[in-house]
Amino acid sequence: GFSIYRIKLERANVMLGRGDFAGARKIYQELTEISAPMIEAWYMLGLIALYEDDQSLFREASGVLADERSFMPGMLLLGEWALREGRYGDARLVLDQAGMLEPTSLKVMERLLLLDYQARDAEALRERSAAMLALDPDHPLGLFGSASVYIAEGQYDLAEIPLRRCLGIVTFAPALN
């Protein structure tokens, strides 16, 4: 059957897509106050908090999301916030959880690849890049990760191929270094 709460959630999503953050936020907050609060509403409030850098709202949403460890988007959002704050260990923990929930999520793999790069973990970088490129042979971060491993090994001729492919797809700061 249909749920009035699902309809409200979708209405708020449309409002958010149109840029009406205040209207969407109001509906999401209403949906967190019902007898069986919707985790999706908490997640969307967390996204708004991330976008608006609203620490108070994020603390409230993250408490609920952290208790729902089987909700992959929530784990991804918690990882994003931890990355933003430079808490790489915390980010790794929740992103690893998200990766266990959805092993083929490129969004999760991208963040974990950045953590592998930051930690200078060549083996993890090699494995994650290969996994990403198996899912999407033209994924820019997968290509960049692959090239980074070759560069670290001094195999510059092999690094050139994925770097050129990467730059042919998109120009982003790390690939230009």
PDB file of all heavy atoms in Angstrom, residues 43-69:
ATOM      1  N   TYR A  43      18.744  10.930   7.069  1.00  0.00           N
ATOM      2  CA  TYR A  43      19.828  10.990   6.080  1.00  0.00           C
ATOM      3  C   TYR A  43      19.763  12.308   5.300  1.00  0.00           C
ATOM      4  O   TYR A  43      20.781  12.988   5.128  1.00  0.00           O
ATOM      5  CB  TYR A  43      19.739   9.788   5.131  1.00  0.00           C
ATOM      6  CG  TYR A  43      20.630   9.889   3.930  1.00  0.00           C
ATOM      7  CD1 TYR A  43      22.015   9.779   4.057  1.00  0.00           C
ATOM      8  CD2 TYR A  43      20.109  10.108   2.663  1.00  0.00           C
ATOM      9  CE1 TYR A  43      22.843   9.868   2.957  1.00  0.00           C
ATOM     10  CE2 TYR A  43      20.924  10.198   1.559  1.00  0.00           C
ATOM     11  CZ  TYR A  43      22.295  10.081   1.709  1.00  0.00           C
ATOM     12  OH  TYR A  43      23.111  10.190   0.610  1.00  0.00           O
ATOM     13  N   MET A  44      18.578  12.671   4.846  1.00  0.00           N
ATOM     14  CA  MET A  44      18.441  13.901   4.067  1.00  0.00           C
ATOM     15  C   MET A  44      18.750  15.131   4.924  1.00  0.00           C
ATOM     16  O   MET A  44      19.359  16.086   4.441  1.00  0.00           O
ATOM     17  CB  MET A  44      17.044  13.987   3.447  1.00  0.00           C
ATOM     18  CG  MET A  44      16.749  12.877   2.440  1.00  0.00           C
ATOM     19  SD  MET A  44      17.980  12.709   1.122  1.00  0.00           S
ATOM     20  CE  MET A  44      17.724  14.232   0.216  1.00  0.00           C
ATOM     21  N   LEU A  45      18.371  15.099   6.191  1.00  0.00           N
ATOM     22  CA  LEU A  45      18.752  16.200   7.086  1.00  0.00           C
ATOM     23  C   LEU A  45      20.271  16.257   7.230  1.00  0.00           C
ATOM     24  O   LEU A  45      20.855  17.339   7.281  1.00  0.00           O
ATOM     25  CB  LEU A  45      18.089  16.035   8.463  1.00  0.00           C
ATOM     26  CG  LEU A  45      16.614  16.392   8.532  1.00  0.00           C
ATOM     27  CD1 LEU A  45      16.029  15.981   9.881  1.00  0.00           C
ATOM     28  CD2 LEU A  45      16.389  17.881   8.277  1.00  0.00           C
ATOM     29  N   GLY A  46      20.900  15.084   7.281  1.00  0.00           N
ATOM     30  CA  GLY A  46      22.361  15.045   7.336  1.00  0.00           C
ATOM     31  C   GLY A  46      22.993  15.636   6.094  1.00  0.00           C
ATOM     32  O   GLY A  46      24.003  16.346   6.167  1.00  0.00           O
ATOM     33  N   LEU A  47      22.397  15.349   4.927  1.00  0.00           N
ATOM     34  CA  LEU A  47      22.912  15.941   3.683  1.00  0.00           C
ATOM     35  C   LEU A  47      22.779  17.466   3.697  1.00  0.00           C
ATOM     36  O   LEU A  47      23.701  18.173   3.282  1.00  0.00           O
ATOM     37  CB  LEU A  47      22.164  15.380   2.463  1.00  0.00           C
ATOM     38  CG  LEU A  47      22.546  14.005   1.981  1.00  0.00           C
ATOM     39  CD1 LEU A  47      21.667  13.604   0.791  1.00  0.00           C
ATOM     40  CD2 LEU A  47      24.007  13.948   1.576  1.00  0.00           C
ATOM     41  N   ILE A  48      21.631  17.935   4.157  1.00  0.00           N
ATOM     42  CA  ILE A  48      21.439  19.387   4.248  1.00  0.00           C
ATOM     43  C   ILE A  48      22.471  19.981   5.205  1.00  0.00           C
ATOM     44  O   ILE A  48      23.078  21.016   4.925  1.00  0.00           O
ATOM     45  CB  ILE A  48      19.999  19.723   4.694  1.00  0.00           C
ATOM     46  CG1 ILE A  48      19.011  19.391   3.553  1.00  0.00           C
ATOM     47  CG2 ILE A  48      19.880  21.191   5.099  1.00  0.00           C
ATOM     48  CD1 ILE A  48      17.555  19.503   3.954  1.00  0.00           C
ATOM     49  N   ALA A  49      22.680  19.318   6.334  1.00  0.00           N
ATOM     50  CA  ALA A  49      23.668  19.801   7.310  1.00  0.00           C
ATOM     51  C   ALA A  49      25.058  19.841   6.690  1.00  0.00           C
ATOM     52  O   ALA A  49      25.810  20.798   6.911  1.00  0.00           O
ATOM     53  CB  ALA A  49      23.662  18.896   8.545  1.00  0.00           C
ATOM     54  N   LEU A  50      25.412  18.822   5.915  1.00  0.00           N
ATOM     55  CA  LEU A  50      26.714  18.791   5.251  1.00  0.00           C
ATOM     56  C   LEU A  50      26.829  19.960   4.279  1.00  0.00           C
ATOM     57  O   LEU A  50      27.823  20.680   4.268  1.00  0.00           O
ATOM     58  CB  LEU A  50      26.900  17.462   4.517  1.00  0.00           C
ATOM     59  CG  LEU A  50      28.257  17.226   3.862  1.00  0.00           C
ATOM     60  CD1 LEU A  50      29.324  16.996   4.920  1.00  0.00           C
ATOM     61  CD2 LEU A  50      28.197  16.022   2.932  1.00  0.00           C
ATOM     62  N   TYR A  51      25.792  20.166   3.485  1.00  0.00           N
ATOM     63  CA  TYR A  51      25.793  21.231   2.484  1.00  0.00           C
ATOM     64  C   TYR A  51      25.854  22.613   3.145  1.00  0.00           C
ATOM     65  O   TYR A  51      26.572  23.494   2.687  1.00  0.00           O
ATOM     66  CB  TYR A  51      24.549  21.115   1.596  1.00  0.00           C
ATOM     67  CG  TYR A  51      24.455  22.174   0.542  1.00  0.00           C
ATOM     68  CD1 TYR A  51      25.218  22.100  -0.621  1.00  0.00           C
ATOM     69  CD2 TYR A  51      23.619  23.275   0.707  1.00  0.00           C
ATOM     70  CE1 TYR A  51      25.146  23.081  -1.585  1.00  0.00           C
ATOM     71  CE2 TYR A  51      23.535  24.257  -0.256  1.00  0.00           C
ATOM     72  CZ  TYR A  51      24.309  24.163  -1.402  1.00  0.00           C
ATOM     73  OH  TYR A  51      24.238  25.137  -2.364  1.00  0.00           O
ATOM     74  N   GLU A  52      25.086  22.782   4.212  1.00  0.00           N
ATOM     75  CA  GLU A  52      25.016  24.088   4.881  1.00  0.00           C
ATOM     76  C   GLU A  52      26.046  24.239   6.004  1.00  0.00           C
ATOM     77  O   GLU A  52      26.086  25.270   6.654  1.00  0.00           O
ATOM     78  CB  GLU A  52      23.607  24.304   5.445  1.00  0.00           C
ATOM     79  CG  GLU A  52      22.541  24.398   4.372  1.00  0.00           C
ATOM     80  CD  GLU A  52      21.143  24.627   4.928  1.00  0.00           C
ATOM     81  OE1 GLU A  52      20.912  24.385   6.142  1.00  0.00           O
ATOM     82  OE2 GLU A  52      20.278  25.056   4.151  1.00  0.00           O
ATOM     83  N   ASP A  53      26.861  23.205   6.225  1.00  0.00           N
ATOM     84  CA  ASP A  53      27.843  23.190   7.303  1.00  0.00           C
ATOM     85  C   ASP A  53      27.184  23.495   8.646  1.00  0.00           C
ATOM     86  O   ASP A  53      27.683  24.285   9.445  1.00  0.00           O
ATOM     87  CB  ASP A  53      28.991  24.165   7.016  1.00  0.00           C
ATOM     88  CG  ASP A  53      30.216  23.848   7.874  1.00  0.00           C
ATOM     89  OD1 ASP A  53      30.382  22.681   8.277  1.00  0.00           O
ATOM     90  OD2 ASP A  53      30.996  24.776   8.159  1.00  0.00           O
ATOM     91  N   ASP A  54      26.056  22.829   8.890  1.00  0.00           N
ATOM     92  CA  ASP A  54      25.293  23.007  10.122  1.00  0.00           C
ATOM     93  C   ASP A  54      25.712  21.912  11.106  1.00  0.00           C
ATOM     94  O   ASP A  54      25.193  20.793  11.084  1.00  0.00           O
ATOM     95  CB  ASP A  54      23.795  22.919   9.814  1.00  0.00           C
ATOM     96  CG  ASP A  54      22.914  23.187  11.016  1.00  0.00           C
ATOM     97  OD1 ASP A  54      23.354  22.961  12.167  1.00  0.00           O
ATOM     98  OD2 ASP A  54      21.757  23.614  10.804  1.00  0.00           O
ATOM     99  N   GLN A  55      26.668  22.240  11.968  1.00  0.00           N
ATOM    100  CA  GLN A  55      27.239  21.268  12.901  1.00  0.00           C
ATOM    101  C   GLN A  55      26.181  20.702  13.852  1.00  0.00           C
ATOM    102  O   GLN A  55      26.177  19.505  14.133  1.00  0.00           O
ATOM    103  CB  GLN A  55      28.354  21.930  13.713  1.00  0.00           C
ATOM    104  CG  GLN A  55      29.433  22.564  12.885  1.00  0.00           C
ATOM    105  CD  GLN A  55      30.653  21.687  12.757  1.00  0.00           C
ATOM    106  OE1 GLN A  55      30.857  20.803  13.570  1.00  0.00           O
ATOM    107  NE2 GLN A  55      31.445  21.930  11.749  1.00  0.00           N
ATOM    108  N   SER A  56      25.308  21.544  14.342  1.00  0.00           N
ATOM    109  CA  SER A  56      24.294  21.112  15.299  1.00  0.00           C
ATOM    110  C   SER A  56      23.340  20.099  14.664  1.00  0.00           C
ATOM    111  O   SER A  56      23.061  19.051  15.249  1.00  0.00           O
ATOM    112  CB  SER A  56      23.524  22.335  15.806  1.00  0.00           C
ATOM    113  OG  SER A  56      22.467  21.928  16.641  1.00  0.00           O
ATOM    114  N   LEU A  57      22.841  20.420  13.501  1.00  0.00           N
ATOM    115  CA  LEU A  57      21.938  19.501  12.803  1.00  0.00           C
ATOM    116  C   LEU A  57      22.660  18.207  12.461  1.00  0.00           C
ATOM    117  O   LEU A  57      22.101  17.118  12.602  1.00  0.00           O
ATOM    118  CB  LEU A  57      21.378  20.144  11.527  1.00  0.00           C
ATOM    119  CG  LEU A  57      20.455  19.267  10.685  1.00  0.00           C
ATOM    120  CD1 LEU A  57      19.228  18.834  11.477  1.00  0.00           C
ATOM    121  CD2 LEU A  57      20.038  20.022   9.415  1.00  0.00           C
ATOM    122  N   PHE A  58      23.922  18.315  12.068  1.00  0.00           N
ATOM    123  CA  PHE A  58      24.637  17.090  11.713  1.00  0.00           C
ATOM    124  C   PHE A  58      24.860  16.204  12.936  1.00  0.00           C
ATOM    125  O   PHE A  58      24.743  14.983  12.848  1.00  0.00           O
ATOM    126  CB  PHE A  58      25.971  17.367  11.014  1.00  0.00           C
ATOM    127  CG  PHE A  58      26.505  16.115  10.388  1.00  0.00           C
ATOM    128  CD1 PHE A  58      26.016  15.693   9.164  1.00  0.00           C
ATOM    129  CD2 PHE A  58      27.422  15.322  11.036  1.00  0.00           C
ATOM    130  CE1 PHE A  58      26.454  14.510   8.596  1.00  0.00           C
ATOM    131  CE2 PHE A  58      27.872  14.139  10.480  1.00  0.00           C
ATOM    132  CZ  PHE A  58      27.383  13.728   9.253  1.00  0.00           C
ATOM    133  N   ARG A  59      25.168  16.802  14.075  1.00  0.00           N
ATOM    134  CA  ARG A  59      25.339  15.996  15.297  1.00  0.00           C
ATOM    135  C   ARG A  59      24.065  15.208  15.596  1.00  0.00           C
ATOM    136  O   ARG A  59      24.122  14.025  15.941  1.00  0.00           O
ATOM    137  CB  ARG A  59      25.700  16.883  16.485  1.00  0.00           C
ATOM    138  CG  ARG A  59      27.188  17.053  16.691  1.00  0.00           C
ATOM    139  CD  ARG A  59      27.513  17.686  18.038  1.00  0.00           C
ATOM    140  NE  ARG A  59      26.841  18.956  18.273  1.00  0.00           N
ATOM    141  CZ  ARG A  59      27.249  20.123  17.775  1.00  0.00           C
ATOM    142  NH1 ARG A  59      28.326  20.185  17.028  1.00  0.00           N
ATOM    143  NH2 ARG A  59      26.588  21.230  18.041  1.00  0.00           N
ATOM    144  N   GLU A  60      22.929  15.869  15.457  1.00  0.00           N
ATOM    145  CA  GLU A  60      21.649  15.211  15.724  1.00  0.00           C
ATOM    146  C   GLU A  60      21.401  14.072  14.725  1.00  0.00           C
ATOM    147  O   GLU A  60      21.077  12.949  15.110  1.00  0.00           O
ATOM    148  CB  GLU A  60      20.511  16.246  15.650  1.00  0.00           C
ATOM    149  CG  GLU A  60      19.174  15.707  16.075  1.00  0.00           C
ATOM    150  CD  GLU A  60      18.086  16.768  16.035  1.00  0.00           C
ATOM    151  OE1 GLU A  60      18.342  17.922  15.635  1.00  0.00           O
ATOM    152  OE2 GLU A  60      16.956  16.425  16.409  1.00  0.00           O
ATOM    153  N   ALA A  61      21.576  14.355  13.452  1.00  0.00           N
ATOM    154  CA  ALA A  61      21.338  13.337  12.421  1.00  0.00           C
ATOM    155  C   ALA A  61      22.358  12.212  12.510  1.00  0.00           C
ATOM    156  O   ALA A  61      22.008  11.031  12.360  1.00  0.00           O
ATOM    157  CB  ALA A  61      21.380  13.979  11.026  1.00  0.00           C
ATOM    158  N   SER A  62      23.609  12.542  12.771  1.00  0.00           N
ATOM    159  CA  SER A  62      24.649  11.517  12.779  1.00  0.00           C
ATOM    160  C   SER A  62      24.457  10.522  13.917  1.00  0.00           C
ATOM    161  O   SER A  62      24.800   9.345  13.782  1.00  0.00           O
ATOM    162  CB  SER A  62      26.040  12.143  12.836  1.00  0.00           C
ATOM    163  OG  SER A  62      26.268  12.781  14.065  1.00  0.00           O
ATOM    164  N   GLY A  63      23.897  10.982  15.031  1.00  0.00           N
ATOM    165  CA  GLY A  63      23.620  10.065  16.136  1.00  0.00           C
ATOM    166  C   GLY A  63      22.654   8.973  15.716  1.00  0.00           C
ATOM    167  O   GLY A  63      22.847   7.794  16.037  1.00  0.00           O
ATOM    168  N   VAL A  64      21.635   9.347  14.979  1.00  0.00           N
ATOM    169  CA  VAL A  64      20.652   8.369  14.503  1.00  0.00           C
ATOM    170  C   VAL A  64      21.275   7.496  13.414  1.00  0.00           C
ATOM    171  O   VAL A  64      21.124   6.268  13.425  1.00  0.00           O
ATOM    172  CB  VAL A  64      19.385   9.078  13.976  1.00  0.00           C
ATOM    173  CG1 VAL A  64      18.414   8.081  13.362  1.00  0.00           C
ATOM    174  CG2 VAL A  64      18.714   9.872  15.093  1.00  0.00           C
ATOM    175  N   LEU A  65      21.984   8.117  12.478  1.00  0.00           N
ATOM    176  CA  LEU A  65      22.586   7.363  11.377  1.00  0.00           C
ATOM    177  C   LEU A  65      23.622   6.363  11.882  1.00  0.00           C
ATOM    178  O   LEU A  65      23.720   5.248  11.364  1.00  0.00           O
ATOM    179  CB  LEU A  65      23.217   8.317  10.361  1.00  0.00           C
ATOM    180  CG  LEU A  65      22.236   9.207   9.595  1.00  0.00           C
ATOM    181  CD1 LEU A  65      22.984  10.237   8.759  1.00  0.00           C
ATOM    182  CD2 LEU A  65      21.305   8.384   8.723  1.00  0.00           C
ATOM    183  N   ALA A  66      24.384   6.735  12.891  1.00  0.00           N
ATOM    184  CA  ALA A  66      25.412   5.840  13.427  1.00  0.00           C
ATOM    185  C   ALA A  66      24.797   4.587  14.046  1.00  0.00           C
ATOM    186  O   ALA A  66      25.428   3.534  14.062  1.00  0.00           O
ATOM    187  CB  ALA A  66      26.263   6.575  14.455  1.00  0.00           C
ATOM    188  N   ASP A  67      23.569   4.716  14.538  1.00  0.00           N
ATOM    189  CA  ASP A  67      22.878   3.555  15.115  1.00  0.00           C
ATOM    190  C   ASP A  67      22.298   2.634  14.038  1.00  0.00           C
ATOM    191  O   ASP A  67      21.942   1.503  14.331  1.00  0.00           O
ATOM    192  CB  ASP A  67      21.751   4.001  16.046  1.00  0.00           C
ATOM    193  CG  ASP A  67      22.278   4.606  17.337  1.00  0.00           C
ATOM    194  OD1 ASP A  67      23.458   4.351  17.676  1.00  0.00           O
ATOM    195  OD2 ASP A  67      21.523   5.332  17.991  1.00  0.00           O
ATOM    196  N   GLU A  68      22.188   3.114  12.816  1.00  0.00           N
ATOM    197  CA  GLU A  68      21.627   2.341  11.695  1.00  0.00           C
ATOM    198  C   GLU A  68      22.762   1.907  10.784  1.00  0.00           C
ATOM    199  O   GLU A  68      22.855   2.331   9.627  1.00  0.00           O
ATOM    200  CB  GLU A  68      20.609   3.188  10.926  1.00  0.00           C
ATOM    201  CG  GLU A  68      19.328   3.416  11.661  1.00  0.00           C
ATOM    202  CD  GLU A  68      18.470   2.171  11.753  1.00  0.00           C
ATOM    203  OE1 GLU A  68      18.571   1.274  10.890  1.00  0.00           O
ATOM    204  OE2 GLU A  68      17.691   2.090  12.719  1.00  0.00           O
ATOM    205  N   ARG A  69      23.617   1.037  11.270  1.00  0.00           N
ATOM    206  CA  ARG A  69      24.831   0.647  10.538  1.00  0.00           C
ATOM    207  C   ARG A  69      24.538  -0.171   9.283  1.00  0.00           C
ATOM    208  O   ARG A  69      25.439  -0.436   8.503  1.00  0.00           O
ATOM    209  CB  ARG A  69      25.781  -0.079  11.465  1.00  0.00           C
ATOM    210  CG  ARG A  69      26.207   0.847  12.623  1.00  0.00           C
ATOM    211  CD  ARG A  69      27.341   0.339  13.433  1.00  0.00           C
ATOM    212  NE  ARG A  69      28.552   0.047  12.705  1.00  0.00           N
ATOM    213  CZ  ARG A  69      29.474   0.940  12.337  1.00  0.00           C
ATOM    214  NH1 ARG A  69      29.296   2.209  12.618  1.00  0.00           N
ATOM    215  NH2 ARG A  69      30.556   0.558  11.708  1.00  0.00           N
TER     216      ARG A  69
END
